[in-house]
Amino acid sequence: MFSHTVPPQVSVVPGPRALLEGDSDALAATCTASGSSPPATVRWESEVPGAQEEVTSHNANDTVTISSSFYLDPVRAMQGHRLTCLVNHSTFSRPSRLGYTLNIY
């Protein structure tokens, strides 16, 4: 088996719809580390309470994609607070940090 090291492509995308005050378990954002070998680690730092859900996909080229979604119960007091996605990989000298600012409607 051929062993190779491939750094991930990292991105953060907002959830599919606006965060409305009063909703429950709303998807705020998803952080993805795609196409890496070995797999990257993905986690969220947050100023607000929420839940993280991770999905791992194995790609045809022997790389791995990790997606971590952050869910919360939106309230107006969360407006302007930040989520930070931290991605670490053996090819990184330090974790990659991607920020996302919450907008609550």
Side-chain angles (χ1 to χ4, degrees):
M1 180 176 195
F2 181 69
S3 179
H4 59 286
T5 302
V6 181
Q9 296 295 315
V10 181
S11 63
V12 171
V13 295
R17 50 189 213 94
L19 296 174
L20 303 175
E21 185 171 33
D23 278 357
S24 61
D25 294 325
L27 174 55
T30 299
C31 182
T32 302
S34 61
S36 67
S37 177
T41 58
V42 180
R43 69 181 179 90
W44 289 96
E45 286 182 348
S46 174
E47 300 173 342
V48 299
Q52 301 175 42
E53 181 179 287
E54 187 173 286
V55 175
T56 301
S57 305
H58 296 272
N59 305 316
N61 62 355
D62 290 332
T63 62
V64 176
T65 296
I66 309 284
S67 293
S68 180
S69 297
F70 192 90
Y71 295 86
L72 49 75
D73 297 336
V75 293
R76 183 72 64 192
M78 294 176 178
Q79 174 64 31
H81 284 265
R82 290 186 59 78
L83 303 175
T84 302
C85 175
L86 283 97
V87 177
N88 208 351
H89 190 260
S90 59
T91 60
F92 294 174
S93 59
R94 57 185 163 74
S96 177
R97 300 176 65 89
L98 287 86
Y100 181 74
T101 302
L102 295 172
N103 287 307
I104 310 297
Y105 298 95

Short mmCIF file of all heavy atoms in Angstrom, two decimals, residues 34-102:
data_model
loop_
_atom_site.label_atom_id
_atom_site.label_comp_id
_atom_site.label_asym_id
_atom_site.label_seq_id
_atom_site.Cartn_x
_atom_site.Cartn_y
_atom_site.Cartn_z
N SER A 34 -11.11 18.83 3.56
CA SER A 34 -11.31 17.84 2.51
C SER A 34 -10.01 17.37 1.86
O SER A 34 -9.06 18.13 1.73
CB SER A 34 -12.26 18.39 1.44
OG SER A 34 -11.72 19.54 0.85
N GLY A 35 -10.03 16.09 1.50
CA GLY A 35 -8.96 15.52 0.69
C GLY A 35 -7.62 15.38 1.37
O GLY A 35 -6.59 15.58 0.74
N SER A 36 -7.61 15.01 2.66
CA SER A 36 -6.32 14.90 3.35
C SER A 36 -5.95 13.45 3.61
O SER A 36 -6.78 12.55 3.64
CB SER A 36 -6.35 15.67 4.67
OG SER A 36 -7.23 15.07 5.59
N SER A 37 -4.67 13.24 3.80
CA SER A 37 -4.13 11.95 4.20
C SER A 37 -2.88 12.23 5.01
O SER A 37 -1.99 12.92 4.52
CB SER A 37 -3.78 11.10 2.98
OG SER A 37 -3.21 9.88 3.39
N PRO A 38 -2.80 11.75 6.25
CA PRO A 38 -3.85 11.10 7.02
C PRO A 38 -4.99 12.06 7.33
O PRO A 38 -4.88 13.26 7.03
CB PRO A 38 -3.12 10.67 8.30
CG PRO A 38 -2.01 11.66 8.45
CD PRO A 38 -1.59 12.00 7.03
N PRO A 39 -6.09 11.57 7.94
CA PRO A 39 -7.22 12.46 8.22
C PRO A 39 -6.83 13.65 9.11
O PRO A 39 -5.99 13.51 10.00
CB PRO A 39 -8.21 11.56 8.97
CG PRO A 39 -7.83 10.17 8.58
CD PRO A 39 -6.35 10.19 8.36
N ALA A 40 -7.45 14.79 8.84
CA ALA A 40 -7.27 15.97 9.69
C ALA A 40 -8.17 15.82 10.92
O ALA A 40 -9.07 14.99 10.95
CB ALA A 40 -7.65 17.22 8.91
N THR A 41 -7.92 16.66 11.92
CA THR A 41 -8.85 16.76 13.05
C THR A 41 -9.56 18.10 12.93
O THR A 41 -8.94 19.12 12.58
CB THR A 41 -8.14 16.66 14.42
OG1 THR A 41 -7.16 17.69 14.51
CG2 THR A 41 -7.48 15.30 14.59
N VAL A 42 -10.86 18.10 13.22
CA VAL A 42 -11.68 19.30 13.09
C VAL A 42 -12.45 19.47 14.38
O VAL A 42 -13.07 18.52 14.88
CB VAL A 42 -12.66 19.18 11.91
CG1 VAL A 42 -13.51 20.43 11.79
CG2 VAL A 42 -11.92 18.91 10.61
N ARG A 43 -12.41 20.69 14.96
CA ARG A 43 -13.22 20.96 16.14
C ARG A 43 -13.60 22.43 16.16
O ARG A 43 -12.99 23.25 15.48
CB ARG A 43 -12.51 20.54 17.43
CG ARG A 43 -11.31 21.37 17.80
CD ARG A 43 -10.65 20.86 19.08
NE ARG A 43 -9.48 21.65 19.43
CZ ARG A 43 -9.50 22.73 20.19
NH1 ARG A 43 -10.64 23.15 20.71
NH2 ARG A 43 -8.40 23.39 20.46
N TRP A 44 -14.62 22.73 16.94
CA TRP A 44 -15.11 24.10 17.06
C TRP A 44 -14.77 24.67 18.42
O TRP A 44 -14.84 23.98 19.43
CB TRP A 44 -16.64 24.12 16.92
CG TRP A 44 -17.14 23.84 15.55
CD1 TRP A 44 -17.56 22.64 15.06
CD2 TRP A 44 -17.30 24.78 14.49
NE1 TRP A 44 -17.97 22.77 13.76
CE2 TRP A 44 -17.82 24.07 13.39
CE3 TRP A 44 -17.05 26.14 14.36
CZ2 TRP A 44 -18.10 24.70 12.17
CZ3 TRP A 44 -17.32 26.76 13.16
CH2 TRP A 44 -17.84 26.04 12.08
N GLU A 45 -14.41 25.96 18.45
CA GLU A 45 -14.36 26.75 19.67
C GLU A 45 -15.52 27.73 19.55
O GLU A 45 -15.73 28.31 18.48
CB GLU A 45 -13.06 27.53 19.80
CG GLU A 45 -11.87 26.69 20.15
CD GLU A 45 -10.61 27.53 20.32
OE1 GLU A 45 -10.61 28.72 19.95
OE2 GLU A 45 -9.61 26.97 20.81
N SER A 46 -16.27 27.90 20.63
CA SER A 46 -17.46 28.73 20.55
C SER A 46 -17.65 29.57 21.80
O SER A 46 -17.38 29.11 22.91
CB SER A 46 -18.69 27.84 20.34
OG SER A 46 -19.86 28.60 20.40
N GLU A 47 -18.16 30.78 21.58
CA GLU A 47 -18.53 31.66 22.69
C GLU A 47 -19.96 31.37 23.16
O GLU A 47 -20.41 31.94 24.14
CB GLU A 47 -18.44 33.12 22.24
CG GLU A 47 -17.06 33.55 21.78
CD GLU A 47 -17.04 34.95 21.19
OE1 GLU A 47 -18.11 35.47 20.82
OE2 GLU A 47 -15.95 35.52 21.10
N VAL A 48 -20.67 30.52 22.43
CA VAL A 48 -22.07 30.22 22.75
C VAL A 48 -22.25 28.70 22.84
O VAL A 48 -21.49 27.94 22.23
CB VAL A 48 -23.04 30.79 21.68
CG1 VAL A 48 -22.92 32.31 21.62
CG2 VAL A 48 -22.78 30.18 20.32
N PRO A 49 -23.27 28.24 23.60
CA PRO A 49 -23.49 26.80 23.70
C PRO A 49 -24.03 26.23 22.39
O PRO A 49 -24.77 26.89 21.66
CB PRO A 49 -24.52 26.67 24.82
CG PRO A 49 -25.19 28.00 24.91
CD PRO A 49 -24.20 29.02 24.42
N GLY A 50 -23.64 25.00 22.11
CA GLY A 50 -24.11 24.33 20.91
C GLY A 50 -23.62 22.90 20.86
O GLY A 50 -22.95 22.43 21.78
N ALA A 51 -23.94 22.23 19.78
CA ALA A 51 -23.55 20.82 19.61
C ALA A 51 -22.79 20.67 18.29
O ALA A 51 -23.10 21.34 17.31
CB ALA A 51 -24.78 19.93 19.62
N GLN A 52 -21.82 19.77 18.31
CA GLN A 52 -21.02 19.50 17.12
C GLN A 52 -21.34 18.10 16.61
O GLN A 52 -21.52 17.17 17.40
CB GLN A 52 -19.54 19.59 17.45
CG GLN A 52 -19.13 20.95 17.99
CD GLN A 52 -17.68 20.99 18.42
OE1 GLN A 52 -16.82 20.47 17.75
NE2 GLN A 52 -17.42 21.63 19.55
N GLU A 53 -21.42 17.98 15.29
CA GLU A 53 -21.65 16.68 14.67
C GLU A 53 -20.63 16.50 13.55
O GLU A 53 -20.51 17.35 12.68
CB GLU A 53 -23.07 16.62 14.11
CG GLU A 53 -23.44 15.30 13.47
CD GLU A 53 -24.87 15.33 12.97
OE1 GLU A 53 -25.79 15.28 13.79
OE2 GLU A 53 -25.04 15.43 11.74
N GLU A 54 -19.92 15.38 13.59
CA GLU A 54 -18.85 15.15 12.62
C GLU A 54 -19.19 13.99 11.69
O GLU A 54 -19.73 12.98 12.13
CB GLU A 54 -17.55 14.85 13.36
CG GLU A 54 -16.33 14.77 12.47
CD GLU A 54 -15.05 14.65 13.27
OE1 GLU A 54 -14.62 15.66 13.86
OE2 GLU A 54 -14.48 13.54 13.28
N VAL A 55 -18.87 14.17 10.41
CA VAL A 55 -19.06 13.13 9.41
C VAL A 55 -17.73 12.91 8.69
O VAL A 55 -17.07 13.88 8.29
CB VAL A 55 -20.16 13.53 8.39
CG1 VAL A 55 -20.27 12.50 7.28
CG2 VAL A 55 -21.49 13.73 9.08
N THR A 56 -17.34 11.65 8.54
CA THR A 56 -16.11 11.29 7.85
C THR A 56 -16.45 10.59 6.54
O THR A 56 -17.28 9.67 6.53
CB THR A 56 -15.25 10.35 8.72
OG1 THR A 56 -14.96 11.02 9.94
CG2 THR A 56 -13.95 9.98 8.03
N SER A 57 -15.84 11.02 5.45
CA SER A 57 -16.03 10.40 4.14
C SER A 57 -14.68 9.95 3.60
O SER A 57 -13.71 10.71 3.64
CB SER A 57 -16.65 11.38 3.15
OG SER A 57 -17.84 11.92 3.66
N HIS A 58 -14.64 8.73 3.11
CA HIS A 58 -13.41 8.21 2.49
C HIS A 58 -13.52 8.40 0.99
O HIS A 58 -14.49 7.97 0.36
CB HIS A 58 -13.22 6.74 2.86
CG HIS A 58 -12.99 6.55 4.33
ND1 HIS A 58 -11.75 6.62 4.90
CD2 HIS A 58 -13.87 6.36 5.33
CE1 HIS A 58 -11.85 6.45 6.21
NE2 HIS A 58 -13.14 6.29 6.50
N ASN A 59 -12.53 9.08 0.41
CA ASN A 59 -12.54 9.41 -1.01
C ASN A 59 -11.86 8.31 -1.83
O ASN A 59 -11.05 7.55 -1.31
CB ASN A 59 -11.85 10.75 -1.23
CG ASN A 59 -12.48 11.85 -0.39
OD1 ASN A 59 -13.69 11.95 -0.31
ND2 ASN A 59 -11.65 12.65 0.26
N ALA A 60 -12.17 8.28 -3.12
CA ALA A 60 -11.63 7.25 -4.02
C ALA A 60 -10.10 7.29 -4.13
O ALA A 60 -9.47 6.28 -4.40
CB ALA A 60 -12.26 7.39 -5.40
N ASN A 61 -9.49 8.45 -3.90
CA ASN A 61 -8.03 8.59 -4.03
C ASN A 61 -7.28 8.34 -2.72
O ASN A 61 -6.17 8.82 -2.53
CB ASN A 61 -7.69 9.96 -4.60
CG ASN A 61 -8.12 11.09 -3.69
OD1 ASN A 61 -8.76 10.87 -2.65
ND2 ASN A 61 -7.78 12.31 -4.05
N ASP A 62 -7.92 7.61 -1.80
CA ASP A 62 -7.32 7.26 -0.50
C ASP A 62 -7.12 8.46 0.42
O ASP A 62 -6.30 8.43 1.32
CB ASP A 62 -5.98 6.52 -0.66
CG ASP A 62 -6.16 5.11 -1.20
OD1 ASP A 62 -7.23 4.52 -0.96
OD2 ASP A 62 -5.24 4.62 -1.87
N THR A 63 -7.85 9.54 0.17
CA THR A 63 -7.84 10.67 1.10
C THR A 63 -9.15 10.65 1.88
O THR A 63 -10.07 9.89 1.58
CB THR A 63 -7.68 12.02 0.38
OG1 THR A 63 -8.80 12.22 -0.48
CG2 THR A 63 -6.37 12.07 -0.40
N VAL A 64 -9.23 11.51 2.89
CA VAL A 64 -10.38 11.56 3.78
C VAL A 64 -10.90 12.99 3.86
O VAL A 64 -10.13 13.95 3.87
CB VAL A 64 -10.00 11.05 5.20
CG1 VAL A 64 -11.16 11.18 6.16
CG2 VAL A 64 -9.52 9.61 5.12
N THR A 65 -12.22 13.13 3.92
CA THR A 65 -12.86 14.43 4.15
C THR A 65 -13.61 14.37 5.47
O THR A 65 -14.39 13.45 5.70
CB THR A 65 -13.82 14.77 2.99
OG1 THR A 65 -13.05 14.91 1.79
CG2 THR A 65 -14.58 16.06 3.27
N ILE A 66 -13.33 15.35 6.33
CA ILE A 66 -14.00 15.47 7.62
C ILE A 66 -14.85 16.74 7.59
O ILE A 66 -14.34 17.82 7.29
CB ILE A 66 -12.99 15.60 8.79
CG1 ILE A 66 -11.94 14.50 8.75
CG2 ILE A 66 -13.71 15.66 10.13
CD1 ILE A 66 -12.39 13.16 9.20
N SER A 67 -16.14 16.61 7.90
CA SER A 67 -17.03 17.77 8.01
C SER A 67 -17.59 17.81 9.42
O SER A 67 -18.12 16.82 9.91
CB SER A 67 -18.18 17.68 7.00
OG SER A 67 -17.69 17.79 5.69
N SER A 68 -17.47 18.97 10.05
CA SER A 68 -18.01 19.16 11.39
C SER A 68 -19.03 20.29 11.35
O SER A 68 -18.71 21.41 10.94
CB SER A 68 -16.90 19.50 12.38
OG SER A 68 -17.44 19.69 13.67
N SER A 69 -20.26 19.98 11.75
CA SER A 69 -21.33 20.97 11.75
C SER A 69 -21.59 21.43 13.18
O SER A 69 -21.51 20.64 14.12
CB SER A 69 -22.61 20.37 11.15
OG SER A 69 -22.38 20.02 9.81
N PHE A 70 -21.92 22.73 13.32
CA PHE A 70 -22.20 23.31 14.63
C PHE A 70 -23.67 23.71 14.67
O PHE A 70 -24.13 24.51 13.85
CB PHE A 70 -21.31 24.53 14.90
CG PHE A 70 -21.35 24.99 16.33
CD1 PHE A 70 -20.44 24.49 17.25
CD2 PHE A 70 -22.29 25.91 16.76
CE1 PHE A 70 -20.47 24.90 18.58
CE2 PHE A 70 -22.33 26.32 18.09
CZ PHE A 70 -21.42 25.81 18.99
N TYR A 71 -24.41 23.14 15.62
CA TYR A 71 -25.84 23.40 15.79
C TYR A 71 -26.07 24.17 17.09
O TYR A 71 -25.38 23.95 18.08
CB TYR A 71 -26.62 22.08 15.87
CG TYR A 71 -26.58 21.28 14.59
CD1 TYR A 71 -25.54 20.40 14.33
CD2 TYR A 71 -27.60 21.40 13.64
CE1 TYR A 71 -25.51 19.65 13.16
CE2 TYR A 71 -27.58 20.67 12.47
CZ TYR A 71 -26.53 19.80 12.23
OH TYR A 71 -26.50 19.06 11.07
N LEU A 72 -27.05 25.07 17.07
CA LEU A 72 -27.38 25.83 18.27
C LEU A 72 -28.86 26.19 18.29
O LEU A 72 -29.57 26.01 17.30
CB LEU A 72 -26.50 27.08 18.38
CG LEU A 72 -26.37 28.01 17.17
CD1 LEU A 72 -27.59 28.84 16.95
CD2 LEU A 72 -25.16 28.90 17.37
N ASP A 73 -29.30 26.67 19.45
CA ASP A 73 -30.65 27.20 19.62
C ASP A 73 -30.52 28.72 19.61
O ASP A 73 -30.14 29.32 20.63
CB ASP A 73 -31.27 26.72 20.94
CG ASP A 73 -31.44 25.21 20.99
OD1 ASP A 73 -31.53 24.58 19.92
OD2 ASP A 73 -31.48 24.65 22.10
N PRO A 74 -30.79 29.37 18.46
CA PRO A 74 -30.50 30.80 18.33
C PRO A 74 -31.34 31.68 19.27
O PRO A 74 -32.54 31.50 19.38
CB PRO A 74 -30.88 31.12 16.88
CG PRO A 74 -30.99 29.81 16.18
CD PRO A 74 -31.34 28.81 17.22
N VAL A 75 -30.65 32.60 19.93
CA VAL A 75 -31.30 33.66 20.71
C VAL A 75 -30.59 34.97 20.36
O VAL A 75 -29.42 34.98 19.98
CB VAL A 75 -31.26 33.40 22.23
CG1 VAL A 75 -32.10 32.20 22.61
CG2 VAL A 75 -29.85 33.25 22.73
N ARG A 76 -31.32 36.07 20.48
CA ARG A 76 -30.80 37.38 20.06
C ARG A 76 -29.45 37.71 20.72
O ARG A 76 -28.60 38.34 20.11
CB ARG A 76 -31.85 38.45 20.41
CG ARG A 76 -31.48 39.84 19.97
CD ARG A 76 -31.54 40.08 18.50
NE ARG A 76 -32.90 39.94 17.99
CZ ARG A 76 -33.20 39.87 16.70
NH1 ARG A 76 -32.24 39.93 15.82
NH2 ARG A 76 -34.43 39.76 16.31
N ALA A 77 -29.25 37.26 21.96
CA ALA A 77 -28.00 37.57 22.68
C ALA A 77 -26.77 36.98 22.01
O ALA A 77 -25.64 37.39 22.29
CB ALA A 77 -28.10 37.07 24.12
N MET A 78 -26.96 36.01 21.09
CA MET A 78 -25.83 35.40 20.38
C MET A 78 -25.34 36.25 19.20
O MET A 78 -24.29 35.98 18.63
CB MET A 78 -26.21 34.02 19.84
CG MET A 78 -26.48 33.00 20.91
SD MET A 78 -27.03 31.46 20.12
CE MET A 78 -27.21 30.41 21.56
N GLN A 79 -26.12 37.27 18.83
CA GLN A 79 -25.79 38.12 17.68
C GLN A 79 -24.36 38.64 17.78
O GLN A 79 -23.96 39.20 18.80
CB GLN A 79 -26.77 39.29 17.59
CG GLN A 79 -26.44 40.31 16.52
CD GLN A 79 -26.50 39.75 15.10
OE1 GLN A 79 -27.25 38.85 14.80
NE2 GLN A 79 -25.67 40.29 14.23
N GLY A 80 -23.57 38.44 16.72
CA GLY A 80 -22.21 38.96 16.67
C GLY A 80 -21.16 38.09 17.33
O GLY A 80 -19.97 38.37 17.20
N HIS A 81 -21.58 37.04 18.04
CA HIS A 81 -20.60 36.14 18.65
C HIS A 81 -19.93 35.31 17.57
O HIS A 81 -20.46 35.13 16.48
CB HIS A 81 -21.26 35.24 19.70
CG HIS A 81 -21.56 35.95 20.98
ND1 HIS A 81 -20.70 35.92 22.05
CD2 HIS A 81 -22.60 36.72 21.35
CE1 HIS A 81 -21.21 36.65 23.04
NE2 HIS A 81 -22.37 37.15 22.63
N ARG A 82 -18.75 34.78 17.91
CA ARG A 82 -17.97 34.05 16.91
C ARG A 82 -17.88 32.56 17.22
O ARG A 82 -17.78 32.16 18.37
CB ARG A 82 -16.56 34.62 16.83
CG ARG A 82 -16.53 36.00 16.21
CD ARG A 82 -15.13 36.53 16.00
NE ARG A 82 -14.27 35.73 15.15
CZ ARG A 82 -14.35 35.70 13.81
NH1 ARG A 82 -15.26 36.41 13.19
NH2 ARG A 82 -13.51 34.97 13.11
N LEU A 83 -17.88 31.80 16.13
CA LEU A 83 -17.49 30.40 16.16
C LEU A 83 -16.13 30.34 15.48
O LEU A 83 -15.88 31.07 14.52
CB LEU A 83 -18.46 29.54 15.37
CG LEU A 83 -19.93 29.57 15.73
CD1 LEU A 83 -20.73 28.72 14.74
CD2 LEU A 83 -20.13 29.06 17.14
N THR A 84 -15.25 29.49 15.97
CA THR A 84 -13.96 29.30 15.33
C THR A 84 -13.75 27.83 15.07
O THR A 84 -13.84 27.02 15.99
CB THR A 84 -12.81 29.85 16.20
OG1 THR A 84 -13.05 31.23 16.46
CG2 THR A 84 -11.47 29.69 15.50
N CYS A 85 -13.50 27.50 13.82
CA CYS A 85 -13.19 26.13 13.45
C CYS A 85 -11.67 25.96 13.49
O CYS A 85 -10.95 26.76 12.89
CB CYS A 85 -13.73 25.82 12.06
SG CYS A 85 -13.26 24.18 11.48
N LEU A 86 -11.22 24.93 14.19
CA LEU A 86 -9.79 24.62 14.25
C LEU A 86 -9.55 23.31 13.52
O LEU A 86 -10.17 22.29 13.83
CB LEU A 86 -9.31 24.49 15.69
CG LEU A 86 -9.14 25.81 16.40
CD1 LEU A 86 -10.38 26.10 17.21
CD2 LEU A 86 -7.93 25.78 17.27
N VAL A 87 -8.67 23.37 12.53
CA VAL A 87 -8.31 22.17 11.77
C VAL A 87 -6.83 21.92 11.97
O VAL A 87 -6.01 22.83 11.81
CB VAL A 87 -8.61 22.36 10.26
CG1 VAL A 87 -8.16 21.13 9.47
CG2 VAL A 87 -10.09 22.63 10.04
N ASN A 88 -6.50 20.68 12.35
CA ASN A 88 -5.09 20.33 12.52
C ASN A 88 -4.76 19.15 11.62
O ASN A 88 -5.60 18.28 11.38
CB ASN A 88 -4.79 20.00 13.98
CG ASN A 88 -3.34 20.28 14.32
OD1 ASN A 88 -2.52 20.58 13.45
ND2 ASN A 88 -3.02 20.19 15.59
N HIS A 89 -3.54 19.16 11.11
CA HIS A 89 -3.08 18.10 10.23
C HIS A 89 -1.57 17.99 10.37
O HIS A 89 -0.90 18.97 10.73
CB HIS A 89 -3.45 18.41 8.77
CG HIS A 89 -3.22 17.27 7.86
ND1 HIS A 89 -2.10 17.19 7.05
CD2 HIS A 89 -3.94 16.15 7.62
CE1 HIS A 89 -2.16 16.07 6.36
NE2 HIS A 89 -3.26 15.41 6.67
N SER A 90 -1.04 16.81 10.10
CA SER A 90 0.40 16.58 10.27
C SER A 90 1.25 17.49 9.40
O SER A 90 2.42 17.73 9.70
CB SER A 90 0.74 15.11 9.98
OG SER A 90 0.37 14.77 8.66
N THR A 91 0.68 18.05 8.32
CA THR A 91 1.44 18.95 7.45
C THR A 91 1.40 20.41 7.94
O THR A 91 2.08 21.25 7.37
CB THR A 91 0.91 18.90 6.01
OG1 THR A 91 -0.46 19.30 6.00
CG2 THR A 91 1.04 17.50 5.42
N PHE A 92 0.59 20.71 8.96
CA PHE A 92 0.47 22.08 9.47
C PHE A 92 1.44 22.30 10.63
O PHE A 92 1.55 21.44 11.51
CB PHE A 92 -0.95 22.35 10.00
CG PHE A 92 -2.04 22.34 8.96
CD1 PHE A 92 -3.37 22.46 9.36
CD2 PHE A 92 -1.78 22.23 7.61
CE1 PHE A 92 -4.40 22.47 8.43
CE2 PHE A 92 -2.80 22.23 6.67
CZ PHE A 92 -4.11 22.35 7.08
N SER A 93 2.08 23.46 10.67
CA SER A 93 2.94 23.78 11.81
C SER A 93 2.08 24.18 13.02
O SER A 93 2.50 24.04 14.15
CB SER A 93 3.91 24.90 11.45
OG SER A 93 3.21 26.06 11.06
N ARG A 94 0.89 24.70 12.75
CA ARG A 94 -0.07 25.02 13.81
C ARG A 94 -1.47 24.88 13.21
O ARG A 94 -1.64 24.91 11.99
CB ARG A 94 0.16 26.41 14.39
CG ARG A 94 0.12 27.52 13.38
CD ARG A 94 0.48 28.86 14.05
NE ARG A 94 0.85 29.88 13.12
CZ ARG A 94 0.00 30.54 12.33
NH1 ARG A 94 -1.27 30.28 12.35
NH2 ARG A 94 0.43 31.48 11.52
N PRO A 95 -2.50 24.74 14.07
CA PRO A 95 -3.85 24.56 13.54
C PRO A 95 -4.31 25.74 12.67
O PRO A 95 -3.96 26.88 12.93
CB PRO A 95 -4.72 24.46 14.79
CG PRO A 95 -3.79 24.03 15.87
CD PRO A 95 -2.47 24.66 15.53
N SER A 96 -5.06 25.43 11.66
CA SER A 96 -5.71 26.44 10.84
C SER A 96 -6.96 26.90 11.57
O SER A 96 -7.74 26.07 12.06
CB SER A 96 -6.07 25.83 9.48
OG SER A 96 -6.75 26.75 8.69
N ARG A 97 -7.17 28.21 11.67
CA ARG A 97 -8.32 28.77 12.40
C ARG A 97 -9.18 29.56 11.43
O ARG A 97 -8.71 30.49 10.81
CB ARG A 97 -7.85 29.69 13.53
CG ARG A 97 -6.97 29.01 14.56
CD ARG A 97 -6.45 30.00 15.59
NE ARG A 97 -7.50 30.58 16.39
CZ ARG A 97 -7.96 30.06 17.53
NH1 ARG A 97 -7.43 28.95 18.00
NH2 ARG A 97 -8.93 30.65 18.18
N LEU A 98 -10.45 29.16 11.31
CA LEU A 98 -11.39 29.85 10.45
C LEU A 98 -12.55 30.36 11.31
O LEU A 98 -13.20 29.57 11.98
CB LEU A 98 -11.93 28.92 9.36
CG LEU A 98 -10.96 28.57 8.24
CD1 LEU A 98 -10.09 27.39 8.64
CD2 LEU A 98 -11.72 28.25 6.98
N GLY A 99 -12.78 31.66 11.26
CA GLY A 99 -13.83 32.26 12.08
C GLY A 99 -15.14 32.41 11.33
O GLY A 99 -15.16 32.50 10.10
N TYR A 100 -16.21 32.43 12.10
CA TYR A 100 -17.54 32.65 11.55
C TYR A 100 -18.33 33.46 12.58
O TYR A 100 -18.39 33.10 13.74
CB TYR A 100 -18.23 31.31 11.27
CG TYR A 100 -19.61 31.48 10.69
CD1 TYR A 100 -19.77 31.87 9.36
CD2 TYR A 100 -20.74 31.31 11.46
CE1 TYR A 100 -21.04 32.05 8.82
CE2 TYR A 100 -22.01 31.50 10.93
CZ TYR A 100 -22.15 31.86 9.61
OH TYR A 100 -23.40 32.06 9.08
N THR A 101 -18.92 34.58 12.13
CA THR A 101 -19.69 35.45 13.02
C THR A 101 -21.17 35.14 12.90
O THR A 101 -21.71 35.08 11.79
CB THR A 101 -19.43 36.93 12.69
OG1 THR A 101 -18.02 37.18 12.81
CG2 THR A 101 -20.18 37.85 13.64
N LEU A 102 -21.83 34.95 14.03
CA LEU A 102 -23.25 34.61 14.04
C LEU A 102 -24.12 35.82 13.75
O LEU A 102 -23.89 36.91 14.27
CB LEU A 102 -23.65 34.04 15.41
CG LEU A 102 -23.01 32.70 15.78
CD1 LEU A 102 -23.34 32.35 17.23
CD2 LEU A 102 -23.48 31.60 14.84
#
